[in-house]
Amino acid sequence: LKIEKSKPKPKFPAGKVRWPIVILLGICVLLVYANSYQNVFHYDDFHSLTDNIHIRKLTNIPKFFTDAQTFSSKISVKMVRPILLTTFALNYAWTEYRPWSWILVNILIHLFNVAFAYFLIVHLTGRQKFAAVSALIFALHPVNTETVNYINCRSSLLVSTFILISLYGFTRSILNKHWPWMIVSAAGFALGMLVKEEAIVVIALALLLDVLFLWPKSRGDYFSRFILHYFPFLIVVAIYFFYRHAVLEYWIQDNTPRPLLLNAMTQTRCLVHYLNLLILPVHQNTSYETIEYGGWIKDWVLPSGIYLAALLGVGIYYWKKFPILIFFLIWFFITLAPTTVIPLNAIMNEHRLYLPSLGLGLLFAAAGEGLEARLGAEWKRGLIVSGMILLCFCYGVLSANRNRIWTSDMVLWRDAIKKSPGKAQVISDLGNAYFRKEPADLNRADQLYLWSIRADPGYFKAYHNLAIVNFRRGDDATLAKDSGTAEKHYRQAIEYFQQALAVSAVNPDSWNDMGTTYTRLKEYDEAEKCYRQAIQVNPLAYKYYANLSWNYVEQRRFAEAEDTLKTSLSVYDKDPQPWFMLAHAQGEQGKFDEALGSLEKARATDPSNPLVQKSYNQLYDILQRGKAHPQLAPK
């Protein structure tokens, strides 16, 4: 008889996915974040989303890959994140700026990450309970509420998706010796780099998995392993940085907010706080104080470093007995490395703990599994299971409660100011919340902006916001027909705008709004200078051109107004206001057919808007009368 050797059983997957567990994980995520759909846009969402005209056209998707300026409406903010911007453009094409849909997409990405983490763990270990508990802690941990609710943090969610996909492909290619999975891994890594630079951690995480778990199962030649499984990553890195340099003209950063040594000392303290926040997620804050720690002893930098080193020492000492401990610690440091090694403006952010929370889930699940195995009595094992259920329940309750912080700017910044009372940005943003509420509380906003300046005299936004408050008061006085009071407030606004520009001259909004203030005072030459300065700083801000055109209309320079409005519309043509203004300018010149065409385009931008329709009807009647009887056309 001829006996054929059976094929070796694949080492990956070691266990099968159980769909009831996946469904349970999905239900938990959807329940915990069920109160998030009422939340709104906040902080960086305004410049990267609501004010960013580039994401409003799907035809701009190719431009996302070649123009770093498409990331933001701020001319100074440039980032290469084309995959992220593509999701923003698709989201806008779906529901425009309805916040619920943007938050829903974030929730679904988080749900996918949770489910995929379960896939990866159960395929690697074959331990269902371990994988389910790890994924559940990752799903419900309160530090992840910022990542889900703060819409601009989709970058952290999405880069984590591609990091997990890349690690899955890497693991499968090694254990099954199936090289096509390495293509999947390299592709996931490349896409992650096009979402956010933090994807670079894939290489270190792959090496960590390999050393601790994969190498004992699949020993081989070192050189072959490097060529087949690590060299593709290096090729992706080389291509990415070449591409980045071509687009941005610099490799990493063109400037840094603090020296590398000072940043390292500061981040040593922050790492301890991050670790504490993972273990005990209380006193969460959306905007931590910007405190730089430069004292080895007085700022507790050295004790913090000794504490972290001691934890690593314990992990290394128990490497073979409890490998998951050293895995968690190194996973924690690696996933935080891009935001701790490289100096960033924000010293601490909770959304940076998104992937580290998965490492915590693995640690807690392993601890619970180990305790359960060592306890003989059934009732003792039941206590461990009950404890894990209670932990997940508490995390879920804390997360659902934390979601409410993102309901409005008022709630968000009131919470933040309790925890960061000395941070100028927090104080000023709370002032913005009072300014935007209906009716606006201008006095309270004014007080907070002055408080912000006392906290940081170099925070230019507070001066700008004080100017806006005085501008609003001037408008209110104008409506009340109190020209003397109106002029007084407009002059005060100009002084504050000038102070804002003295701190930051590359600040187009202050130039633009100061131009509008001069227009109110009928000082048209000064207004034109300001508008042109704003356009010089940010030539992509279509509203600046529209405001300049209104300055021309006020002077009855309709031909110049028409030319300026056409420039505005060449930048962005989906806002009805410039079209209405163009129709008005053309009508005043007797170009009634052209004016009616512009009017039709104004209505086409938002045909379901009753205000747009009302404006259309009024201007249409005027233009038709002017067309029929030019001598009676109102001026």
Side-chain angles (χ1 to χ4, degrees):
L1 296 174
K2 184 179 179 182
I3 302 174
E4 293 184 2
K5 292 182 179 179
S6 59
K7 292 183 179 180
K9 187 179 179 181
K11 298 175 183 178
F12 191 93
K16 291 184 179 180
V17 170
R18 293 183 181 174
W19 289 103
I21 293 177
V22 177
I23 293 170
L24 177 63
L25 290 170
I27 290 172
C28 288
V29 169
L30 295 175
L31 281 177
V32 165
Y33 288 99
N35 61 339
S36 292
Y37 299 105
Q38 61 185 334
N39 297 343
V40 295
F41 297 102
H42 296 284
Y43 197 42
D44 283 346
D45 291 341
F46 295 118
H47 76 82
S48 62
L49 298 176
T50 60
D51 294 336
N52 188 358
I53 62 173
H54 303 100
I55 66 168
R56 300 177 195 173
K57 290 182 179 179
L58 291 177
T59 53
N60 278 339
I61 290 177
K63 194 177 179 182
F64 297 156
F65 290 83
T66 58
D67 186 356
Q69 184 56 62
T70 55
F71 178 76
S72 171
S73 62
K74 292 182 178 179
I75 201 74
S76 59
V77 180
K78 295 181 180 181
M79 292 188 182
V80 182
R81 297 183 179 177
I83 302 298
L84 174 67
L85 289 173
T86 299
T87 70
F88 287 162
L90 292 170
N91 215 142
Y92 180 83
W94 176 30
T95 60
E96 296 188 350
Y97 289 125
R98 295 178 180 87
W100 67 265
S101 71
W102 296 78
I103 293 170
L104 174 61
V105 172
N106 279 17
I107 292 171
L108 292 176
I109 296 173
H110 177 52
L111 195 158
F112 177 85
N113 290 344
V114 169
F116 199 84
Y118 165 72
F119 288 178
L120 175 58
I121 298 165
V122 81
H123 280 179
L124 181 60
T125 66
R127 293 145 60 187
Q128 291 289 344
K129 191 184 294 185
F130 173 69
V133 173
S134 301
L136 193 59
I137 290 173
F138 177 47
L140 305 179
H141 201 291
V143 296
N144 294 334
T145 53
E146 176 173 299
T147 318
V148 175
N149 289 286
Y150 186 12
I151 297 168
N152 201 50
C153 284
R154 183 177 298 177
S155 58
S156 296
L157 290 166
L158 207 55
V159 75
S160 299
T161 302
F162 290 115
I163 286 173
L164 292 174
I165 290 172
S166 183
L167 292 177
Y168 183 90
F170 174 82
T171 305
R172 190 154 191 163
S173 71
I174 284 182
L175 293 182
N176 288 358
K177 300 187 185 304
H178 196 46
W179 66 266
W181 278 103
M182 198 57 222
I183 296 176
V184 173
S185 180
F189 178 45
L191 291 171
M193 293 293 284
L194 294 176
V195 172
K196 200 174 186 180
E197 303 85 344
E198 291 173 21
I200 194 74
V201 301
V202 162
I203 302 173
L205 294 177
L207 183 61
L208 176 65
L209 278 171
D210 198 2
V211 171
L212 289 179
F213 303 111
L214 306 182
W215 181 256
K217 296 181 181 180
S218 61
R219 295 180 183 275
D221 177 64
Y222 287 105
F223 181 75
S224 299
R225 201 178 193 87
F226 171 77
I227 293 298
L228 290 175
H229 302 292
Y230 290 95
F231 191 64
F233 290 147
L234 300 181
I235 292 174
V236 170
V237 170
I239 293 172
Y240 170 78
F241 279 106
F242 177 79
Y243 158 73
R244 181 186 178 90
H245 186 265
V247 175
L248 282 180
E249 298 182 354
Y250 63 85
W251 297 109
I252 299 177
Q253 280 181 302
D254 54 355
N255 54 61
T256 57
R258 68 193 68 84
L260 288 174
L261 178 60
L262 178 60
N263 185 71
M265 296 170 72
T266 301
Q267 289 302 322
T268 302
R269 280 283 307 268
C270 292
L271 285 170
V272 173
H273 191 85
Y274 279 140
L275 196 56
N276 294 339
L277 198 59
L278 271 181
I279 304 298
L280 192 64
V282 294
H283 301 297
Q284 290 180 248
N285 190 359
T286 53
S287 188
Y288 289 88
E289 294 273 14
T290 305
I291 300 174
E292 296 176 339
Y293 299 104
W296 289 102
I297 303 299
K298 70 172 184 176
D299 289 333
W300 288 79
V301 172
L302 185 60
S304 297
I306 293 171
Y307 170 66
L308 295 172
L311 285 176
L312 272 176
V314 170
I316 293 170
Y317 182 79
Y318 290 105
W319 180 331
K320 293 186 178 180
K321 193 173 183 180
F322 304 112
I324 201 69
L325 176 60
I326 190 64
F327 177 80
F328 162 69
L329 291 170
I330 299 179
W331 175 279
F332 172 79
F333 288 120
I334 289 174
T335 50
L336 284 172
T339 55
T340 54
V341 174
I342 298 174
L344 301 174
N345 289 324
I347 287 176
M348 277 191 67
N349 281 129
E350 287 181 7
H351 63 261
R352 297 173 185 171
L353 288 172
Y354 186 71
L355 268 182
S357 68
L358 175 57
L360 183 78
L362 293 167
L363 180 65
F364 279 5
E369 193 178 61
L371 285 172
E372 189 180 3
R374 283 166 175 75
L375 297 175
E378 192 67 32
W379 66 271
K380 291 181 180 179
R381 295 182 181 180
L383 285 178
I384 300 300
V385 174
S386 300
M388 282 294 173
I389 293 172
L390 180 62
L391 175 67
C392 292
F393 177 78
C394 290
Y395 277 175
V397 170
L398 288 171
S399 292
N401 184 59
R402 186 67 186 166
N403 292 338
R404 298 185 299 110
I405 299 299
W406 300 87
T407 305
S408 68
D409 272 354
M410 185 69 74
V411 177
L412 182 75
W413 298 118
R414 274 180 172 173
D415 176 76
I417 205 168
K418 295 174 187 175
K419 299 156 185 174
S420 301
K423 189 171 184 179
Q425 170 259 311
V426 170
I427 302 165
S428 181
D429 280 324
L430 180 58
N432 292 343
Y434 278 101
F435 181 83
R436 291 176 185 142
K437 81 169 193 170
E438 294 294 339
D441 189 341
L442 298 182
N443 291 331
R444 183 60 177 147
D446 194 290
Q447 292 169 355
L448 286 160
Y449 296 145
L450 289 170
W451 177 10
S452 177
I453 290 170
R454 287 196 297 273
D456 181 4
Y459 190 66
F460 78 89
K461 291 182 181 179
Y463 296 104
H464 177 92
N465 293 337
L466 276 169
I468 295 298
V469 167
N470 280 278
F471 180 85
R472 172 72 73 84
R473 285 172 172 157
D475 279 357
D476 291 343
T478 299
L479 288 173
K481 298 183 178 179
D482 186 350
S483 58
T485 303
E487 182 175 356
K488 174 187 171 184
H489 286 302
Y490 288 142
R491 296 292 177 194
Q492 184 66 59
I494 288 171
E495 288 182 22
Y496 280 124
F497 281 132
Q498 289 171 340
Q499 290 181 29
L501 291 164
V503 177
S504 175
V506 189
N507 168 22
D509 286 340
S510 291
W511 285 113
N512 174 72
D513 294 341
M514 186 161 65
T516 303
T517 310
Y518 275 122
T519 301
R520 291 285 200 277
L521 292 168
K522 300 189 184 305
E523 297 179 12
Y524 300 117
D525 290 342
E526 290 298 321
E528 183 174 349
K529 290 177 186 176
C530 292
Y531 287 134
R532 292 201 176 279
Q533 194 70 35
I535 290 168
Q536 183 179 344
V537 176
N538 187 1
L540 296 176
Y542 73 96
K543 290 185 179 180
Y544 298 168
Y545 296 99
N547 291 339
L548 175 59
S549 72
W550 185 251
N551 185 52
Y552 290 143
V553 168
E554 288 274 287
Q555 302 173 70
R556 308 192 65 76
R557 295 160 61 182
F558 298 116
E560 291 168 274
E562 181 182 4
D563 291 340
T564 308
L565 284 163
K566 286 179 178 178
T567 303
S568 173
L569 291 163
S570 70
V571 176
Y572 182 66
D573 62 356
K574 299 301 181 184
D575 186 338
Q577 185 179 9
W579 285 113
F580 278 124
M581 293 171 67
L582 179 60
H584 173 65
Q586 290 168 333
E588 290 286 359
Q589 297 175 77
K591 301 177 180 179
F592 296 110
D593 289 331
E594 293 179 40
L596 289 167
S598 299
L599 200 57
E600 285 294 341
K601 290 180 179 178
R603 186 170 65 168
T605 59
D606 195 358
S608 61
N609 189 323
L611 189 61
V612 170
Q613 186 62 45
K614 181 180 177 182
S615 301
Y616 171 86
N617 293 336
Q618 291 174 345
L619 191 54
Y620 181 81
D621 290 341
I622 292 171
L623 291 171
Q624 287 286 28
R625 285 202 305 273
K627 184 177 180 180
H629 307 285
Q631 71 279 9
L632 299 177
K635 298 295 183 184

